[in-house]
Amino acid sequence: MQYLSISQFAFMPVVFLLYGLAFFMLGIAIGLQLFSSSKSPRFQHLIGTPWGTLAVFAILHGTYEIGGAFNLLYGGLVLPLEIIRLYLLPLSFYFLCKFGISYGQDRESSMMRLLPGFLAAVWVILSSALFIRGGLGQGSIANAGILSRYVMGLPGAVMASFALMAGRKAVSAKSRKYLVTAAGTFALYAVALCITQKADFFPASFLNYENFFRAVHVPTQVFRTLFAIIIAFSFIKFFQLSKSFTGIRFKAVLHVIVAVVVPAFCIILLVSYLMSDALLRVSYKENEKLASLAAREIQASLSKVENGLKYNLFFARLNRSIPVEDLLAPFLMENPDIRSIAFFDGNDDVLRVRRDPQSQAINFSRHPDRPRMGNFLSEAPISVFHMGRHDDTSVSMVFPLPRGRIEVLLDLRMLYQSIQNLRTGPDWHVLLADAKGGLVVHGSGREPMRRAVFKLPGARRDNYGKTTAENGRLYNAVEAKIEPIGWSLVTEIPRSEIVEPIFDVFKGLAAGILLIYLSAVAAVIFSLGKVTAPINLIAQRVRSIGRGDLTSAVNIKTGDEVQTLSEEVEKMAVMLVEKKEMEKRLMQTQKIAALGRLVSAIAHEINNPLSVIIWSSQLLLREIRPEERHHQDLRMLEKHALACKKIVDDLLRFTRTDKQANVEVDVNSNLEEALALVGKHFSKSKVSIVMEPDSSSPKVMGDPGRLHQVFLNLTMNAVDAMKNGGGSLTIGTRSFKAEADGGVEITFSDTGCGISPENIERIFDPFFTTKAAGEGTGIGLAVSYGIVSDHNGRMWVESEEGKGSTFHVVLPAVKEG
């Protein structure tokens, strides 16, 4: 669908989803009708009747089209899933053909019964020929799918249309119009099936998506979706009017689909696709920059070889006494990617300086009948080079001269190593292409031999550059020119790898919506009696009121006269119900109050003897040595007495109601009490503490215990930030005049590691922590922030990485009067 713009293409997953859901839900509806009305084995009834074969067609074809929506989102499915979708399509058309030859026929001939199997055999033979000729690839799979539409889909839709028209006489006049509508829509659907992807055989070469879109400016899939919805709606109305389906059940299921599933799926699919498109665009731009950078690196490597060779030959021309091979030998040693340098006078090899691949030694050979290098030195300087021959191991740089040339043979493997930083995934392809578009691939490297897969001149273009396909996967091909040799650097990035995070999110959301939908359907099925029998419930309610049962109220919400009748019945008993409820609440309150008093009294009565037992046992344990006989008995007595005391304490806490304190708090005293609890921790961590309290700072209103928690959290965080090398923590208080009624500012300044700029904005987020695993949960600062906010205060941090942090807490002062 590369002929569509991105604004049009973004809606295609939604179109495919609606297309598939229309057929899928039609099949489910027919299947439920057959299962609920038939006493024969369900599977036989499903595939042995005309309506059963139509249901199977609808379910299989709907599944295939829903998979097409996921295919568009994911940027190409893997080969096994594409093969599964390929065989779903002709299998669905097979059942459509069975429906067409069986519906409305009193007795079908043996030849007609064999027609679906014959068409399926023809498709298998033609598809096998395609796979033998083109291999098991994306193109062959697409062509096999096109053939299934021509060979099986078109005849099946035409036969279904004629069968429905022929069977209209056997139904009532009210149902006939829906059957005729379905027949006419199947005929249009048969025409739409013939408009397929573009292929190299007729009629797909002429009647295809691209040509159709150019003519009407509407994608073919939109018409198919419209036809599928009309067909599904026609059959649903037909079943409802002929009373061959449980209408209320299906109506409830359909409402769930229309109100929840379809809108949610469409929104999620559209948003996910737009996000995937944005990721692909950004990825393409970034990889284009990387490819350009790598291309410049290769160009710099070639320029380095060029400049080095020119320098050595220029030096040789100035010093004729030094042999050229002696100058070039160190040059080869310094450049391990150069295999050899050859000087050619015409077609003869005058001098060749080469590297031994085994010993890395430098040797040379010279033509015996030629002068050493006089002609070449006199013809310098060298003109601009070009790239010559290349194979799977090497590539040559050619420097033409008036009477010869110089060739520098480079190791292709070493050249590829300079661009391996582009390969960030196992399925990425980083390739070099020559000026004619042929791939320059190292035979012994990790890159696959893909000369026939990516052809530079004929690659398709879309919003992300060039597009290639291999084994059902789509790749974004990024190309960067290597000047001035005319070569290109090509990187192929799998689209599925780029959009994998978005697809994972989509799968999670889709699974959640599907779970909600299945739960709703299950609720409708299992609560069918309550949905279909509201009058019976009202009658049961009236009988229960007559018997004096006022507790089993019925709340019917149908929005019609039945609900009005139910409400009037409930109004008749409202006074009695309220009276009963008041009596029940009063009795329950009295029971709870009595239970609380009883528990409190018993707990206090038990607590005193338990305290005596625990005290006595502990006193005896001090006087009796461990080796004496009764020591273990007393230890067991103490253990179980403490367990009983814990149970009593829990009962006492159950009978109390804890409330948050709201008293005047002296911040300086509260800080001293909090620091007294962690004094030992400071001594172990080699952290010194400096208190700078302001005695004139006012008091605040709050909960001393919760403020304790804030001060302890900030203190312990400061200690953890300085635990490696020690340091000092300065805690100060002062009056804060910026508040409207005044306030108190408490600062915690440490000399620890500090907070990085990218983390300082998230420091108060719940569960965010920079500590190692097992050292913190990331909720201390979030809880402290919440406590300060509950006290109508503010909290912020100032930090510089490597120099420490300062946390500020401002609490409003107690108002006078």
Side-chain angles (χ1 to χ4, degrees):
M1 266 171 269
Q2 307 297 331
Y3 55 92
L4 296 177
S5 65
I6 187 58
S7 59
Q8 297 164 329
F9 190 62
F11 289 92
M12 292 309 296
V14 177
V15 172
F16 273 92
L17 180 64
L18 295 176
Y19 182 9
L21 280 178
F23 274 131
F24 186 82
M25 293 313 304
L26 173 62
I28 294 296
I30 299 175
L32 289 176
Q33 156 63 18
L34 295 177
F35 288 164
S36 62
S37 62
S38 173
K39 296 181 180 179
S40 61
R42 294 182 175 182
F43 183 74
Q44 286 184 353
H45 198 71
L46 185 62
I47 64 174
T49 62
W51 291 121
T53 55
L54 181 64
V56 175
F57 156 74
I59 292 174
L60 294 178
H61 200 69
T63 303
Y64 171 82
E65 298 300 343
I66 292 174
F70 297 155
N71 193 357
L72 290 178
L73 173 66
Y74 198 56
L77 296 177
V78 294
L79 187 62
L81 295 180
E82 281 293 285
I83 295 176
I84 293 175
R85 292 186 69 242
L86 170 64
Y87 285 98
L88 272 180
L89 187 61
L91 185 61
S92 67
F93 291 146
Y94 171 82
F95 285 99
L96 182 61
C97 291
K98 290 197 67 175
F99 170 76
I101 65 174
S102 60
Y103 181 73
Q105 304 291 332
D106 296 332
R107 294 185 60 186
E108 56 186 75
S109 64
S110 58
M111 183 174 294
M112 291 297 293
R113 286 199 303 267
L114 295 177
L115 182 60
F118 172 75
L119 295 178
V122 171
W123 176 80
V124 170
I125 294 173
L126 295 177
S127 300
S128 300
L130 283 177
F131 290 132
I132 292 173
R133 185 184 68 176
L136 190 62
Q138 183 78 7
S140 299
I141 292 175
N143 290 336
I146 294 172
L147 284 177
S148 69
R149 297 180 185 274
Y150 293 145
V151 176
M152 301 181 67
L154 175 62
V158 171
M159 286 189 293
S161 177
F162 279 108
L164 291 172
M165 289 296 293
R168 73 186 187 279
K169 299 178 180 179
V171 299
S172 63
K174 292 183 179 180
S175 302
R176 190 173 301 157
K177 61 181 180 181
Y178 298 111
L179 215 57
V180 171
T181 302
T185 310
F186 257 121
L188 295 175
Y189 185 69
V191 176
L193 282 175
C194 297
I195 305 174
T196 64
Q197 292 175 289
K198 192 173 184 178
D200 55 357
F201 54 83
F202 187 82
S205 58
F206 171 74
L207 194 62
N208 51 62
Y209 294 152
E210 298 184 19
N211 293 337
F212 184 82
F213 182 79
R214 293 190 185 98
V216 301
H217 302 289
V218 178
T220 311
Q221 291 80 4
V222 175
F223 290 99
R224 289 185 188 169
T225 303
L226 180 61
F227 297 153
I229 293 174
I230 294 175
I231 291 172
F233 179 78
S234 299
F235 279 122
I236 290 170
K237 297 296 291 184
F238 168 75
F239 286 134
Q240 286 179 340
L241 290 177
S242 61
K243 299 186 183 299
S244 60
F245 187 72
T246 307
I248 295 180
R249 176 196 292 179
F250 180 75
K251 182 170 66 174
V253 175
L254 184 62
H255 287 174
V256 173
I257 297 173
V258 174
V260 178
V261 179
V262 175
F265 260 101
C266 291
I267 292 173
I268 293 174
L269 195 60
L270 179 60
V271 172
S272 299
Y273 184 82
L274 292 176
M275 293 174 64
S276 300
D277 176 71
L279 278 179
L280 289 170
R281 288 172 178 268
V282 172
S283 175
Y284 175 74
K285 295 298 182 182
E286 293 300 321
N287 286 292
E288 192 177 43
K289 295 178 182 177
L290 291 176
S292 300
L293 180 61
R296 288 195 294 270
E297 291 182 1
I298 294 177
Q299 182 180 348
S301 301
L302 298 177
S303 299
K304 178 182 177 182
V305 173
E306 176 189 11
N307 295 332
L309 181 62
K310 289 181 178 180
Y311 171 79
N312 281 278
L313 292 181
F314 178 76
F315 189 79
R317 185 167 67 248
L318 296 178
N319 299 273
R320 295 297 183 95
S321 60
I322 302 177
V324 176
E325 53 268 25
D326 292 344
L327 292 175
L328 295 180
F331 179 58
L332 263 68
M333 293 298 294
E334 294 174 358
N335 294 272
D337 51 339
I338 300 178
R339 289 188 172 184
S340 65
I341 301 176
F343 298 83
F344 293 90
D345 185 3
N347 295 322
D348 295 330
D349 186 353
V350 176
L351 175 65
R352 184 182 297 272
V353 182
R354 65 171 64 89
R355 182 194 310 275
D356 191 337
Q358 303 297 329
S359 63
Q360 297 297 312
I362 306 299
N363 50 50
F364 63 93
S365 59
R366 189 169 57 243
H367 197 283
D369 299 331
R370 295 283 182 180
R372 293 187 61 186
M373 288 295 292
N375 293 335
F376 286 93
L377 295 178
S378 61
E379 292 173 356
I382 308 171
S383 61
V384 177
F385 72 92
H386 64 269
M387 304 306 293
R389 59 184 175 86
H390 60 79
D391 53 27
D392 294 341
T393 60
S394 58
V395 59
S396 65
M397 300 173 59
V398 180
F399 298 85
L401 297 175
R403 290 185 299 173
R405 70 186 186 279
I406 302 175
E407 289 191 9
V408 179
L409 192 64
L410 302 178
D411 190 342
L412 186 58
R413 177 176 56 86
M414 301 295 291
L415 194 62
Y416 258 99
Q417 286 181 353
S418 63
I419 59 175
Q420 285 304 308
N421 61 327
L422 283 179
R423 186 183 180 127
T424 60
D427 296 328
W428 287 39
H429 303 148
V430 182
L431 310 168
L432 288 174
D434 59 21
K436 297 180 179 180
L439 290 184
V440 184
V441 184
H442 193 268
S444 61
R446 296 171 58 189
E447 297 295 341
M449 295 296 293
R450 302 178 59 254
R451 297 179 185 276
V453 175
F454 182 84
K455 297 180 179 179
L456 207 58
R460 293 180 296 146
R461 289 187 178 272
D462 61 5
N463 296 282
Y464 323 111
K466 296 181 176 62
T467 303
T468 61
E470 179 188 10
N471 293 332
R473 300 188 69 179
L474 295 179
Y475 291 81
N476 286 343
V478 179
E479 177 188 4
K481 289 293 184 180
I482 304 175
E483 302 294 343
I485 61 176
W487 282 23
S488 299
L489 176 71
V490 180
T491 61
E492 292 179 337
I493 305 98
R495 291 194 180 187
S496 58
E497 184 176 319
I498 299 172
V499 301
E500 184 73 31
I502 303 299
F503 194 66
D504 289 340
V505 173
F506 171 78
K507 287 188 294 184
L509 293 176
I513 293 176
L514 184 61
L515 181 61
I516 294 173
Y517 165 65
L518 294 177
S519 302
V521 171
V524 170
I525 294 175
F526 287 109
S527 62
L528 184 61
K530 296 179 181 179
V531 176
T532 58
I535 303 299
N536 293 333
L537 293 178
I538 294 176
Q540 293 175 9
R541 173 60 176 153
V542 172
R543 288 193 294 268
S544 65
I545 293 175
R547 292 191 302 265
D549 183 7
L550 305 176
T551 58
S552 55
V554 176
N555 186 15
I556 297 177
K557 298 293 184 181
T558 57
D560 50 19
E561 291 79 3
V562 176
Q563 179 180 344
T564 303
L565 177 60
S566 174
E567 292 173 353
E568 292 300 325
V569 170
E570 291 302 324
K571 289 178 181 180
M572 294 170 56
V574 64
M575 298 303 297
L576 294 175
V577 171
E578 290 180 356
K579 181 179 178 181
K580 290 286 186 181
E581 288 295 326
M582 290 178 63
E583 292 176 354
K584 181 180 178 181
R585 292 174 184 173
L586 180 60
M587 292 176 61
Q588 187 69 20
T589 302
Q590 292 174 349
K591 288 180 181 179
I592 293 174
L595 179 61
R597 290 192 297 269
L598 178 62
V599 169
S600 179
I602 293 175
H604 280 293
E605 291 298 330
I606 296 175
N607 199 26
N608 293 331
L610 281 177
S611 300
V612 174
I613 294 172
I614 295 171
W615 177 77
S616 299
S617 61
Q618 291 176 348
L619 186 61
L620 290 173
L621 284 172
R622 294 180 182 179
E623 296 178 357
I624 298 176
R625 292 189 296 274
E627 62 272 9
E628 293 187 17
R629 183 166 58 92
H630 297 295
H631 186 274
Q632 292 299 326
D633 296 336
L634 288 172
R635 183 66 68 186
M636 185 65 67
L637 176 64
E638 179 195 23
K639 176 182 176 183
H640 288 288
L642 289 173
C644 292
K645 190 174 187 306
K646 183 179 183 303
I647 296 173
V648 172
D649 292 340
D650 291 340
L651 288 174
L652 287 173
R653 281 194 295 271
F654 173 75
T655 59
R656 299 195 196 103
T657 302
D658 294 334
K659 296 182 179 179
Q660 178 178 331
N662 188 25
V663 298
E664 291 187 3
V665 179
D666 186 345
V667 175
N668 294 329
S669 300
N670 195 287
L671 276 171
E672 292 176 359
E673 294 172 2
L675 294 176
L677 298 176
V678 292
K680 295 182 179 179
H681 190 72
F682 279 113
S683 61
K684 292 180 181 179
S685 57
K686 299 180 182 179
V687 174
S688 61
I689 183 169
V690 179
M691 285 292 297
E692 297 179 352
D694 183 1
S695 59
S696 62
S697 59
K699 295 182 179 181
V700 299
M701 292 296 293
D703 189 330
R706 301 184 75 197
L707 292 178
H708 261 143
Q709 184 178 355
V710 174
F711 300 151
L712 285 175
N713 284 341
L714 295 178
T715 302
M716 297 306 296
N717 279 347
V719 173
D720 291 340
M722 299 181 290
K723 65 180 182 180
N724 293 329
S728 64
L729 171 63
T730 303
I731 303 176
T733 62
R734 68 182 182 91
S735 297
F736 195 74
K737 302 300 184 182
E739 298 291 330
D741 297 317
V744 179
E745 181 183 15
I746 308 100
T747 58
F748 296 78
S749 301
D750 63 68
T751 59
C753 58
I755 305 170
S756 63
E758 60 270 17
N759 291 334
I760 199 166
E761 296 295 332
R762 305 174 57 196
I763 198 68
F764 294 114
D765 291 349
F767 304 107
F768 175 78
T769 180
T770 58
K771 298 178 182 178
E775 294 185 3
T777 60
I779 63 173
L781 286 177
V783 170
S784 301
Y785 192 90
I787 293 173
V788 173
S789 298
D790 289 343
H791 284 75
N792 298 321
R794 294 187 293 121
M795 184 175 179
W796 70 93
V797 62
E798 297 175 350
S799 180
E800 185 175 352
E801 192 170 8
K803 294 185 179 181
S805 306
T806 299
F807 283 83
H808 300 263
V809 177
V810 175
L811 299 172
V814 176
K815 296 182 180 180
E816 296 183 1

